[in-house]
Amino acid sequence: MILVKDGAMVNRAGILLLVLLFIPIMIGADSVTSSITCNGASFVASSVVQPGASWSERLSTSDAAMIIRDLFAGETVRTNTLVRSQGPMGIFEYSTTRANTTGEVRGCLFDRPENTTLTRYETAVLGLMSQGTYSSMLSQGNASRFLIHANGTGILLTRAESDDGSQVMNHGSDTLGDLNMTEEMEFGADDRM
């Protein structure tokens, strides 16, 4: 929104962006917060690569839309994403975590224990929606939690896999048409009751 007062032009969105650029410096952590409102095409991408963990996101819209993203990268990676669009939107999110440890070998006597992979978690979301709302939340550390919600029209594919060395779990869901779906995937959490 541009306001004109006494011949001077003030761009509120520009001022807000400038303020948001300096927030991570004051917080003292690696974080990015962005908010985009547009009536046209937009494309945003983010990724985090750490030892043993990675996360990547690509979002695109081609009509009146709003995209809000929050990313924090420390020992735990946390992301929050919200997309609302009156037209087509493309969605891609991928995360993976691997935990390596030294110690006792579970398998072959001649394996090298210093490179034994004990756990691996992987999630992926791929979608093309003609309109609607998509939101996701990821917390990735020793345990991984991924929550998605979509409400609108289109196609959305989700995949998840975990392997802790003793069991493998696979999950997949495909939705097409008018949809209202919520999925929560949690890996590596303590299952003692």
Side-chain angles (χ1 to χ4, degrees):
M1 174 185 292
I2 298 175
L3 299 175
V4 179
K5 183 177 179 183
D6 296 328
M9 298 175 81
V10 178
N11 187 337
R12 287 187 182 180
I15 292 171
L16 180 62
L17 179 61
L18 187 61
V19 169
L20 288 175
L21 288 175
F22 290 105
I23 287 176
I25 294 171
M26 294 184 283
I27 294 173
D30 294 336
S31 64
V32 175
T33 300
S34 64
S35 175
I36 299 169
T37 302
C38 69
N39 191 6
S42 66
F43 175 79
V44 293
S46 300
S47 64
V48 176
V49 177
Q50 296 178 320
S54 65
W55 169 82
S56 178
E57 175 184 68
R58 308 286 184 264
L59 302 167
S60 63
T61 64
S62 63
D63 209 332
M66 176 185 70
I67 301 172
I68 299 173
R69 300 180 308 149
D70 185 30
L71 168 63
F72 174 82
E75 287 185 27
T76 301
V77 174
R78 291 189 307 267
T79 69
N80 290 300
T81 302
L82 172 65
V83 183
R84 287 189 181 141
S85 180
Q86 294 177 5
M89 72 173 112
I91 302 158
F92 172 77
E93 286 195 74
Y94 176 80
S95 69
T96 184
T97 303
R98 295 179 187 274
N100 295 330
T101 187
T102 59
E104 184 178 327
V105 179
R106 294 184 184 188
C108 179
L109 179 64
F110 301 106
D111 280 348
R112 296 177 54 183
E114 65 272 13
N115 292 323
T116 303
T117 299
L118 293 182
T119 56
R120 178 180 61 84
Y121 317 119
E122 189 171 329
T123 60
V125 177
L126 182 63
L128 181 60
M129 297 179 64
S130 60
Q131 59 80 32
T133 302
Y134 171 81
S135 63
S136 69
M137 186 277 307
L138 171 74
S139 177
Q140 186 180 52
N142 291 336
S144 292
R145 182 171 184 241
F146 188 51
L147 175 67
I148 63 168
H149 176 75
N151 186 2
T153 303
I155 184 169
L156 198 63
L157 314 174
T158 63
R159 300 291 184 263
E161 182 177 319
S162 71
D163 181 355
D164 68 0
S166 62
Q167 83 177 10
V168 176
M169 182 192 79
N170 287 296
H171 165 76
S173 66
D174 303 337
T175 56
L176 173 65
D178 293 335
L179 57 95
N180 187 352
M181 67 176 289
T182 301
E183 285 194 353
E184 180 179 5
M185 304 167 214
E186 191 164 353
F187 305 109
D190 191 2
D191 60 357
R192 290 178 287 172
M193 295 285 177

